[in-house]
Amino acid sequence: MTVDEFQHAFESEIGELLARIQRRYSVSDAEVTAAVHASAKKYLADTLDQTSGNPGPTDESRKAAGEFFASLNADDLCLATACAKGDDAAWEDFFRDYRSYMVSVARTMTQDAGAAEQLADSTFAELYGLRESGGARVSKFAFYSGRGSLRGWLRAVVFQLSADHHRQSSRLVQTEEPEDMDRLAHAAEKPERRSTTDLDYVRDRYRDGVVASLRSAIADLESRERLLLAYYYYDEMTLREIGQLFDVHEATISRWLTKVQKRIRKLVEKGLARDHRFNRREVAEAIEQASEQLDITVGDYLLESVPGDRKREKPAPSPGGAVARR
Amino acid sequence: MKFSRQTKDGAIDNLLRAYVSRPSNPNQVCPDFDADRANAYIERGLTGAVRLQYEAHLSECAGCRKSVVALLRMAEADSLSTVTFARQEPKITRLSRLKEMFGALSQPQWAMAAAAVIVFAVSLPLFLSRNQTQEARQDAADQSVSERSAVTPAESSPSSTAKAAEATAALVSASKQRESGDVKIDALAKNSPAAIPAPESAAGFAGVVEPAKKAETKSAVESEEAQRKSESVTVAQAPAQTGAAAASQAGRTDADQARQQQQTEKDAAQQVAEPKLAARSNEDRSKEKTQRAEEIAPPPAPPADDGRGRSRMARPGGHALRDSDSADAVRPEERKFNGKRFLLRDGAWTDKDFDPNKDLPVVIIIRDSNVYKEVLNKRPGLKPFLTGFQPGERAIIVYKGTVYRLIPQ
């Protein structure tokens, strides 16, 4: 859908959005519409696709578009558009309102005043658009969609630039924490510790069965359930933090986790019985023993072994599971 | 909130902790990380299918998830600092609101209105109870009069005399009870056979009113004699009646009855025969009051921040309210000017709106002085108050947030 088609299809919604903007700077209606269109292409792609073939948007499309337009931060989007355009007044306002905030965010990330100033300056340069593409200046502001606040977007931009800088500057620096190295060493020792006693054999059999079943169970979970487990166990987020992201109360997250655990148990039990021919007693013993052997390190990490993750270009996991970026 | 051990599956939880958790690598960033999308997700700006898509990506991409978690924590810290900064403003506004509220209350009109409401709330039950007592007395008096009038024609019938005596005794005891706070007069009056006058006595009552009036003096003398007799009897019998409680009670009842009769007769006689006397005594009383008011020196102005002075100022009213029996004696005189009420307190006509506890500006005006004339010119609303009092009278007027003390020359 082109900008003109978009404007024609959602004329009234665009009119309402334009009316919401308090200060327009030198941004014209067409420029605002183009910015909104770019945002809609990113977040309203399905609706635009449905509408593009029809003479007008359906009720459903109009409803979705209405929600999208209502969620846009019109003033922030206009300021970003004006800054991308190089409007002096907009830049003046931007400096006044966001400069100190960006420096403080940079300081939080770098933990160093000088580095923070440097990071803030480079972010400003990115925002202004020192790079050129086809003879035109490319401002980072062009990527702001208005879906979140400009302040939050700036925080994310500073964070991203900080991570990029760190990654570039630490190519020759060890990126793992000392405890990561401990775990790697511990994992490397693991195969050597295999004993040949009957008891150890049973234990290893149980452990391998549980690990395989657990991996399979996690892979069978829905993406949201996996995300929940990842937030809680992998990222070590608190229930409150997860609740913020899912927009529910922490008690709800607790219930969800309990539910996911029950589901995993069922899947693991089923997997042990089906794939490893464990009887009911063995299943119970295997889970119990494996849960007590917390020093066991799995060959790789379960969340990295899910099929979707393999699509990404990631370095192959080491036997210990730690990703060494060098 | 912690994920409760009681609700979770301990074994599976341990397994997940052991297998899913991994060393944190803060530098792990997804090359496809989209700052705009991540921020919109954190700020819950993503909805529907777009959100689900991004969550699916997050469930698989540890790098993006790490960034989202870091950004969420930063946003939280940011919002906390913003909230604490923003909370300081509401504090100020709350304080200012409180100040405004109390400022409004400190306005004399509101303060006085509040004080008036409190005084009214306290005095209403007392006033009502006092009215009840008065009504009870009135009832008792009326009924005793009716009994007396019923007694006179019933002299021919001894049975009705006995009934009347019983009724009087019952009424006297009932009125005593009512005075003591036990309001059972209605029940008693209903129970007493003579309380509801018999048709004969009712018929006789109308015809006997005039003779009763004529015979008031006679009956008064008789009742006095009866009272004296009963008193002498009771006094004489008292030492000897240590064990005879019933007899003494009967004697006391007789004496009370006689006293009651005497009182009602006296009242009736005064009302009928000497109306002028009452008027004269009233005149005397009012003269005395005005004389006293003139004689009493005006109280020195209490210091603005003297708590004791304030309590002293507040006490008389409270006393008058607390002691309902003496309310008539303590209740100050009252005047009204232009809707304002003034009470004579400590020799000064004090505006009812005046509260010594309020530190209002005070203007002392000496009558007929230059200030007096100037105030009259500048504040024409004060004129009815300033000119309404007699030249020798003192007054305290509250007008538009200022206290004006009018002092004679």
Side-chain angles (χ1 to χ4, degrees):
Chain A
M1 183 181 249
T2 62
V3 178
D4 289 340
E5 285 172 347
F6 176 73
Q7 189 176 12
H8 181 70
F10 302 105
E11 198 172 357
S12 61
E13 285 86 353
I14 292 169
E16 284 173 16
L17 182 88
L18 290 169
R20 260 162 52 200
I21 299 170
Q22 290 184 346
R23 191 169 178 191
R24 292 284 294 272
Y25 302 103
S26 63
V27 182
S28 64
D29 287 359
E31 285 166 334
V32 173
T33 307
V36 175
H37 176 250
S39 178
K41 266 172 48 179
K42 187 174 179 180
Y43 293 111
L44 205 65
D46 294 344
T47 307
L48 294 188
D49 290 344
Q50 287 169 10
T51 312
S52 62
N54 300 324
T58 59
D59 289 347
E60 197 181 340
S61 302
R62 197 169 282 285
K63 191 184 172 190
E67 285 174 7
F68 166 75
F69 279 102
S71 71
L72 287 180
N73 292 280
D75 282 316
D76 286 353
L77 185 61
C78 187
L79 177 64
T81 310
C83 286
K85 196 183 166 186
D87 186 298
D88 289 339
W91 271 104
E92 205 173 300
D93 284 358
F94 180 75
F95 262 90
R96 189 193 60 224
D97 295 341
Y98 295 104
R99 162 82 194 174
S100 59
Y101 176 67
M102 283 170 65
V103 172
S104 74
V105 170
R107 197 174 293 136
T108 308
M109 286 167 188
T110 58
Q111 303 290 325
D112 177 67
E117 286 289 337
Q118 203 178 344
L119 178 61
D121 287 342
S122 62
T123 309
F124 267 102
E126 288 283 335
L127 289 171
Y128 184 75
L130 293 180
R131 285 180 297 171
E132 288 194 356
S133 171
R137 187 169 52 84
V138 179
S139 167
K140 193 90 175 168
F141 275 121
F143 297 99
Y144 175 63
S145 67
R147 206 72 203 269
S149 67
L150 184 61
R151 192 181 171 92
W153 180 78
L154 287 169
R155 185 170 53 225
V157 166
V158 175
F159 174 83
Q160 189 180 20
L161 288 174
S162 167
D164 287 346
H165 284 195
H166 194 271
R167 201 167 43 185
Q168 283 167 9
S169 61
S170 61
R171 281 191 187 279
L172 300 174
V173 179
Q174 173 192 317
T175 54
E176 287 79 16
E177 302 295 319
E179 47 274 33
D180 295 355
M181 299 305 290
D182 289 345
R183 290 186 69 134
L184 280 170
H186 187 69
E189 285 171 12
K190 192 68 204 163
E192 293 168 17
R193 287 198 319 184
R194 257 177 209 279
S195 62
T196 53
T197 61
D198 289 347
L199 191 66
D200 288 343
Y201 171 75
V202 171
R203 199 173 62 183
D204 290 347
R205 184 172 162 253
Y206 279 174
R207 185 196 60 208
D208 293 344
V210 168
V211 167
S213 298
L214 191 60
R215 185 185 301 173
S216 167
I218 290 172
D220 286 349
L221 291 176
E222 290 173 15
S223 63
R224 209 166 203 214
E225 291 172 323
R226 265 204 316 273
L227 180 62
L228 183 68
L229 288 182
Y231 278 148
Y232 188 70
Y233 292 106
Y234 189 97
D235 301 316
E236 296 175 344
M237 289 174 80
T238 63
L239 296 180
R240 191 173 57 79
E241 286 172 335
I242 302 169
Q244 280 180 349
L245 286 177
F246 283 112
D247 200 15
V248 293
H249 193 263
E250 52 194 293
T252 309
I253 299 295
S254 179
R255 280 199 302 276
W256 286 357
L257 276 170
T258 309
K259 206 174 166 185
V260 172
Q261 282 185 350
K262 279 182 183 170
R263 186 146 182 241
I264 287 175
R265 177 176 270 277
K266 273 187 184 175
L267 290 170
V268 168
E269 285 174 352
K270 206 180 276 183
L272 287 172
R274 186 187 58 221
D275 302 334
H276 301 274
R277 305 289 175 191
F278 283 7
N279 61 30
R280 193 175 285 182
R281 185 183 57 79
E282 285 174 328
V283 166
E285 277 182 9
I287 292 174
E288 199 62 35
Q289 282 194 21
S291 72
E292 286 167 4
Q293 291 175 293
L294 297 180
D295 59 331
I296 299 169
T297 309
V298 190
D300 58 1
Y301 285 93
L302 294 173
L303 285 171
E304 285 192 349
S305 66
V306 293
D309 221 27
R310 288 188 191 131
K311 291 176 198 166
R312 308 199 171 283
E313 289 180 7
K314 280 192 174 180
S318 67
V323 181
R325 290 181 181 276
R326 287 180 194 276
Chain B
M1 185 175 179
K2 284 186 176 178
F3 188 37
S4 168
R5 284 256 168 205
Q6 290 167 349
T7 54
K8 71 187 175 189
D9 188 334
I12 297 295
D13 183 59
N14 285 346
L15 283 173
L16 289 169
R17 261 180 216 290
Y19 296 138
V20 177
S21 63
R22 53 172 293 158
S24 60
N25 186 349
N27 305 309
Q28 187 182 8
V29 177
C30 172
D32 300 332
F33 177 72
D34 184 347
D36 187 69
R37 205 181 284 265
N39 179 55
Y41 174 69
I42 288 164
E43 293 187 354
R44 295 192 282 275
L46 297 184
T47 50
V50 180
R51 185 179 182 84
L52 288 176
Q53 280 171 14
Y54 193 61
E55 280 182 350
H57 169 70
L58 286 177
S59 72
E60 295 165 0
C61 178
C64 279
R65 211 172 49 247
K66 277 275 173 211
S67 303
V68 164
V69 172
L71 284 172
L72 173 77
R73 286 175 180 160
M74 284 169 68
E76 200 179 340
D78 189 29
S79 67
L80 276 175
S81 63
T82 314
V83 166
T84 44
F85 186 72
R87 267 182 193 165
Q88 287 170 352
E89 285 176 2
K91 268 187 184 175
I92 293 162
T93 53
R94 274 181 206 156
L95 270 175
S96 61
R97 274 182 195 169
L98 277 174
K99 274 181 186 172
E100 276 175 24
M101 200 171 72
F102 285 111
L105 280 175
S106 68
Q107 292 292 316
Q109 59 268 29
W110 289 107
M112 291 303 156
V117 167
I118 291 164
V119 167
F120 180 73
V122 172
S123 63
L124 188 64
L126 292 169
F127 181 72
L128 287 173
S129 66
R130 190 173 153 271
N131 271 358
Q132 276 181 349
T133 318
Q134 279 181 346
E135 276 170 22
R137 279 182 195 161
Q138 191 69 35
D139 287 348
D142 289 348
Q143 282 179 7
S144 64
V145 167
S146 68
E147 281 153 20
R148 233 186 317 114
S149 57
V151 164
T152 320
E155 276 172 353
S156 54
S157 61
S159 63
S160 64
T161 315
K163 279 181 183 177
E166 281 174 18
T168 313
L171 281 169
V172 167
S173 62
S175 66
K176 275 185 177 179
Q177 281 179 351
R178 194 175 281 186
E179 278 176 3
S180 68
D182 186 11
V183 188
K184 290 177 182 174
I185 188 70
D186 291 337
L188 282 165
K190 279 173 192 169
N191 291 337
S192 67
I196 304 163
E200 303 92 18
S201 60
F205 180 75
V208 173
V209 171
E210 287 303 314
K213 279 181 185 174
K214 285 174 189 171
E216 269 172 355
T217 330
K218 205 188 271 183
S219 64
V221 171
E222 283 172 6
S223 67
E224 272 180 13
E225 283 176 5
Q227 187 187 351
R228 264 180 238 139
K229 277 178 189 173
S230 65
E231 277 176 353
S232 61
V233 166
T234 45
V235 167
Q237 283 175 349
Q241 281 175 352
T242 47
S248 72
Q249 204 168 358
R252 254 181 252 146
T253 316
D254 289 343
D256 288 342
Q257 187 183 345
R259 251 182 245 145
Q260 180 78 22
Q261 238 176 342
Q262 185 191 0
Q263 188 62 38
T264 49
E265 281 163 6
K266 270 183 186 174
D267 290 345
Q270 275 178 359
Q271 280 173 6
V272 175
E274 297 175 339
K276 286 177 187 176
L277 270 175
R280 213 180 292 160
S281 65
N282 279 342
E283 278 178 12
D284 290 346
R285 242 181 279 157
S286 64
K287 271 184 187 175
E288 274 176 24
K289 276 181 184 172
T290 47
Q291 207 173 355
R292 218 186 308 151
E294 282 171 4
E295 281 171 4
I296 294 167
D305 49 351
D306 188 1
R308 273 180 283 169
R310 282 172 194 163
S311 62
R312 221 187 320 127
M313 289 287 281
R315 207 169 282 165
H319 176 70
L321 287 169
R322 258 195 308 277
D323 188 359
S324 59
D325 285 344
S326 60
D328 283 339
V330 183
R331 187 180 292 165
E333 286 185 31
E334 192 175 307
R335 277 190 195 175
K336 272 188 181 178
F337 292 110
N338 271 25
K340 263 189 177 296
R341 297 171 78 184
F342 292 85
L343 301 173
L344 187 61
R345 284 179 186 159
D346 298 330
W349 289 100
T350 308
D351 193 332
K352 235 182 165 183
D353 295 339
F354 174 67
D355 185 359
N357 294 327
K358 294 283 174 199
D359 291 330
L360 296 176
V362 180
V363 178
I364 296 173
I365 307 170
I366 300 169
R367 190 177 285 277
D368 296 327
S369 66
N370 290 335
V371 177
Y372 178 84
K373 288 166 190 168
E374 203 175 318
V375 168
L376 277 180
N377 283 332
K378 284 187 175 176
R379 301 262 183 182
L382 267 174
K383 196 173 182 180
F385 307 116
L386 293 178
T387 55
F389 295 102
Q390 296 299 316
E393 287 177 330
R394 292 166 177 273
I396 298 170
I397 307 147
V398 179
Y399 185 76
K400 289 189 176 176
T402 306
V403 177
Y404 297 91
R405 287 180 180 273
L406 181 63
I407 297 172
Q409 271 188 322

